[in-house]
Amino acid sequence: MPEPARPHDHVVNFYDTDDDMVDDVSRFLGAGLSAGEAVVVIATAEHRESLSAKLTAHGIDLAAAGADGRYRCHDAAETLAAFTVDGALSQERFVEVIGGVIADASSGGRHVRAFGEMVALLWADGNVPGALGLEAMWNDLARTAKFSLYCAYPTGIVSRAGDLDGRQRICAEHSGVVAPRG
C-alpha cells in the first residue's frame, strides 16, 4: 500500500469495507503521529470514532497529540458546508477553511498528514462534478501548502454511479491509488 510521506502526495483508497479503510488510514495517520507530524481528520462521526479507537489500540496517545495540536478532527459534512455557497463549492472559502486548518496544523514547521471523506460524501450524493472539483481544490492548495492527503471512496458508491470517466478522473487527480483488497 502506498504510504504518502512527502509533501503534496495525494493518495486515493477505493475500499470494500469500513474495516479495510480504517486499517489503511490508521496506518497512514499513526505513522505520522509516531514521527511527530500533525494529523488532520475530516471524516464522518463513525469513521472518526473508528480511527481514534484503532490509533489508540496501536499505542498512540491521542489526548497528548490533541493537546499539542498534532491531532485535529473535523466533521466531513460540517466542514464541507463551511465552504459551500448557494449549493456550490467555493474555491475562496475552501482556501480560507481548509487552508486555515492545514496552516494551523503545520505550525512550528510540522509536516501534516490529512485524511478526508468530503469527496466521498459529494459522490454519494450524486455530485460527481463536485467531488472532482474538490479533488482539484486540494491539489491547488498543495501548490502553496505542504501536506500529504489520503482520500477514501467506498467502492459501492463509485461503482453505483456507473461513471467510468469520473472514476478515471479521480485516479488522475491522485499521485497514488490503493485498490480494494477483494
Side-chain angles (χ1 to χ4, degrees), residues 3 10 41 70 83 94 97-98 103 127 130 132 143 155-156 178:
E3 186 169 307
H10 186 180
V41 176
R70 291 186 317 107
F83 59 88
F94 174 83
V97 173
I98 300 299
N127 188 354
L132 292 166
R143 290 184 181 93
T155 54
V178 180

Side-chain angles (χ1 to χ4, degrees), residues 15 17-24 54 181:
Y15 64 94
T17 69
D18 284 358
D19 288 343
D20 289 346
M21 182 274 294
V22 169
D23 286 346
D24 292 342
K54 182 68 81 169
R181 293 183 188 180

Side-chain angles (χ1 to χ4, degrees), residues 56-135:
T56 300
H58 286 249
I60 304 289
D61 185 347
L62 293 182
D68 71 10
R70 291 186 317 107
Y71 185 68
R72 299 157 187 261
C73 289
H74 303 274
D75 181 79
E78 290 174 6
T79 305
L80 187 58
F83 59 88
T84 301
V85 178
D86 296 326
L89 301 180
S90 165
Q91 174 78 30
E92 181 179 314
R93 291 286 303 138
F94 174 83
V95 170
E96 291 171 15
V97 173
I98 300 299
V101 168
I102 298 297
D104 288 346
S106 67
S107 67
R110 289 187 295 233
H111 179 73
V112 177
R113 290 182 186 223
F115 166 65
E117 292 188 294
M118 296 179 294
V119 289
L121 294 179
L122 289 165
W123 193 291
D125 283 343
N127 188 354
V128 174
L132 292 166
L134 182 51
E135 294 286 11

